[in-house]
Amino acid sequence: MPRVTLSRYLIEQTRSHNTPADLRFLIEVVARACKEISHTVSKGALGGVLGSTETENVQGEVQKKLDVMSNEILLEANEWGGHLAAMASEEMDSAYQIPGRYPKGAYLLVFDPLDGSSNIDVNVSVGTIFSVLRCPSQHFSQNDSLGEAAFLQPGSRQVAAGYAIYGPQTMLMLTLGDGVKGFTLDRELGSFVLTHDAIRVPETTHEFAINMSNQRHWQAPVQRYVGELLAGTEGALGKNYNMRWIASMVADVHRILTRGGIFMYPRDSREPAKPGKLRLMYEANPMAFIIEQAGGAATNGEQRILDIVPQSLHQRVAVFLGSKEEVERVTQYHQTA
Ligand code: AHG
Ligand code: MN
Ligand code: MN
Ligand code: MN
């Protein structure tokens, strides 16, 4: 069997599914940036990349050095190619404008440059999450700057989404809306090679992921559901469940894509104004697109994540995603509460 690199996969997608050449270029550029982030992350203490900066991002989080470095790598890689109208990131207050010396293109790139950054200093998997939207023509201008409004599209309009995971292996998981493909970085070749062709999330599972330390702040439907999971064979669900929580969404989602499970970050009664911790545009939408494309489900408890129309760039959302049977159960508990 010939090795199928990411480049070859994308060219074949252009032939079979008319994937536009500028979208193909965009994905290749993002993948190249992820290779550079992978390399930077892997230097650890030797490269002086661990630890925090003095700054806070718009989310009110202290930025790690690698949050800032990864953000810059993605901006620099993507600003010159002529494929983007603008970019937005967890680490920037507002939309990033393509410098005037470069042409603008048809797409919007949205990313969480480094996900799981609390895990950097303890050498646990982190990642990069990205989402690609088309820039609506009424918002596009070659000369004027692009406002937030261009980005505020439901996740169902994503044309591509993916994440890179920097773990024991560096992998890139990608969807163009036609299933999910997994590529492993071959460090000798310097290329991502297709290694996971037909990714499916098993519909049933006996594994869940949630930060249990927040239990006292959850609302009734989540209390009920997690209570049943914990009750095991003695409870209403009649089976025992195992728990995992890595605190890197990429790593938790990657496990779910590999062997099933349900991931939950519910809203928290401490912050009624903030429905959950995770960000709709940088985290929930791309992951929901990937999970649905692999046969799983993703809701905020009440509705499909991909149907939510964002009101602002940094909007937060409750997240329940993974194996269909469990996501449907916890969603139903919300709907009947
Ligand atoms: P980020 O590092 O991009 O800010 O995201 C962290 C997120 C997500 O990756 C993870 O699932 C969650 O925060 C962990 O939250 P807790 O620390 O509350 O467990
Ligand atoms: Mn963060
Ligand atoms: Mn994140
Ligand atoms: Mn992040």
Side-chain angles (χ1 to χ4, degrees):
M1 269 292 281
R3 296 186 119 202
V4 176
T5 60
L6 176 66
S7 304
R8 176 168 173 177
Y9 167 74
L10 291 170
I11 284 171
E12 287 175 353
Q13 281 294 305
T14 299
R15 288 190 194 135
S16 60
H17 289 77
N18 287 324
T19 302
D22 51 350
L23 178 60
R24 192 174 82 207
F25 177 70
L26 187 167
I27 304 290
E28 294 235 40
V29 173
V30 170
R32 213 176 305 146
C34 290
K35 276 190 253 180
E36 194 177 336
I37 297 171
S38 171
H39 185 68
T40 309
V41 166
S42 73
K43 289 181 185 170
L46 297 175
V49 300
L50 304 183
S52 298
T53 63
E54 305 286 295
T55 49
E56 262 189 16
N57 65 12
V58 62
Q59 327 275 331
E61 302 167 328
V62 173
Q63 289 178 303
K64 300 279 181 180
K65 283 186 200 166
L66 276 168
D67 286 323
V68 176
M69 292 166 89
S70 306
N71 194 59
E72 275 164 14
I73 289 170
L74 280 157
L75 294 179
E76 273 174 30
N78 281 287
E79 66 180 8
W80 55 269
H83 51 292
L84 291 180
M87 293 182 252
S89 153
E90 177 192 327
E91 303 301 339
M92 297 184 293
D93 297 6
S94 49
Y96 179 84
Q97 306 299 327
I98 301 299
R101 60 188 180 279
Y102 304 122
K104 287 187 197 170
Y107 296 102
L108 299 169
L109 178 65
V110 176
F111 50 84
D112 175 355
L114 204 80
D115 174 68
S117 52
S118 73
N119 280 321
I120 292 167
D121 295 348
V122 292
N123 198 5
V124 168
S125 297
V126 291
T128 298
I129 311 173
F130 66 94
S131 158
V132 182
L133 295 159
R134 270 194 200 89
C135 180
S137 52
Q138 71 269 29
H139 293 288
F140 184 84
S141 159
Q142 200 57 252
N143 304 313
D144 300 335
S145 62
L146 232 85
E148 191 167 312
F151 290 86
L152 304 181
Q153 309 176 42
S156 55
R157 297 228 196 112
Q158 292 171 103
V159 293
Y163 65 83
I165 177 166
Y166 314 118
Q169 303 102 43
T170 286
M171 287 190 72
L172 181 80
M173 309 300 280
L174 175 69
T175 184
L176 301 172
D178 178 35
V180 181
K181 304 287 174 188
F183 302 83
T184 304
L185 181 60
D186 181 328
R187 290 184 195 276
E188 279 125 58
L189 281 180
S191 318
F192 281 106
V193 177
L194 182 63
T195 47
H196 295 64
D197 198 10
I199 291 169
R200 300 300 293 171
V201 180
E203 284 197 14
T204 58
T205 182
H206 49 82
E207 204 158 62
F208 70 99
I210 193 166
N211 184 340
M212 285 294 298
S213 71
N214 295 323
Q215 178 166 21
R216 68 194 182 285
H217 306 296
W218 300 338
Q219 295 177 332
V222 181
Q223 297 285 5
R224 173 185 170 196
Y225 176 63
V226 176
E228 289 178 1
L229 298 177
L230 295 174
T233 49
E234 288 129 64
L237 304 181
K239 62 175 178 173
N240 291 326
Y241 285 78
N242 184 31
M243 196 195 90
R244 288 285 185 275
W245 184 252
I246 301 174
S248 283
M249 190 189 197
V250 276
D252 282 309
V253 167
H254 195 72
R255 184 189 60 254
I256 289 169
L257 280 178
T258 310
R259 67 178 191 209
I262 176 168
F263 171 96
M264 294 172 273
Y265 214 116
R267 62 172 57 78
D268 194 315
S269 58
R270 278 174 301 183
E271 299 177 306
K274 283 185 188 168
K277 172 183 181 182
L278 298 175
R279 278 77 27 151
L280 176 60
M281 304 217 54
Y282 316 119
E283 295 167 319
N285 271 341
M287 290 311 201
F289 190 22
I290 293 167
I291 287 285
E292 283 198 5
Q293 284 293 317
T299 76
N300 69 348
E302 274 86 34
Q303 65 175 134
R304 188 175 168 234
I305 284 177
L306 295 182
D307 287 337
I308 299 172
V309 181
Q311 304 298 309
S312 66
L313 214 44
H314 299 291
Q315 181 172 334
R316 295 174 193 258
V317 67
V319 174
F320 301 87
L321 62 77
S323 293
K324 225 177 196 162
E325 184 181 85
E326 299 297 335
V327 175
E328 281 171 2
R329 193 193 319 276
V330 71
T331 303
Q332 195 223 323
Y333 288 4
H334 281 80
Q335 288 163 345
T336 55

